[in-house]
Amino acid sequence: MEKSGEAHFPKLEKPTGKKQTATVVVGVLAVGWLAIELVFKPLFKKLSSSKDKSDSDDTTTVPPPSGA
């Protein structure tokens, strides 16, 4: 057996073709989704709070008189 200062590791197969492309695409989509969430989160909160306020304004209006 040959003794040398270097360790010999088994060669790992590099993912090629469709697997690599799919992995990259999924990673890019995940990072993109997170970026959009972080950037637009304040806007979404602002829109939802203003929508909630407008809904509560609608409920405080006088209901139409019933036919009595």
Side-chain angles (χ1 to χ4, degrees):
M1 186 172 228
E2 180 181 312
K3 290 188 176 185
S4 65
E6 294 180 25
H8 295 284
F9 294 105
K11 289 186 179 181
L12 298 176
E13 293 182 24
K14 288 186 176 180
T16 55
K18 292 181 181 179
K19 279 186 180 179
Q20 186 177 14
T21 303
T23 304
V24 169
V25 167
V26 168
V28 168
L29 288 174
V31 170
W33 180 265
L34 288 174
I36 290 171
E37 286 285 325
L38 290 173
V39 168
F40 289 108
K41 198 170 203 174
L43 179 63
F44 289 148
K45 282 186 178 180
K46 194 180 291 185
L47 287 174
S48 67
S49 66
S50 67
K51 188 177 182 181
D52 291 342
K53 287 178 185 175
S54 67
D55 288 344
S56 65
D57 290 343
D58 292 342
T59 58
T60 58
T61 58
V62 178
S66 58

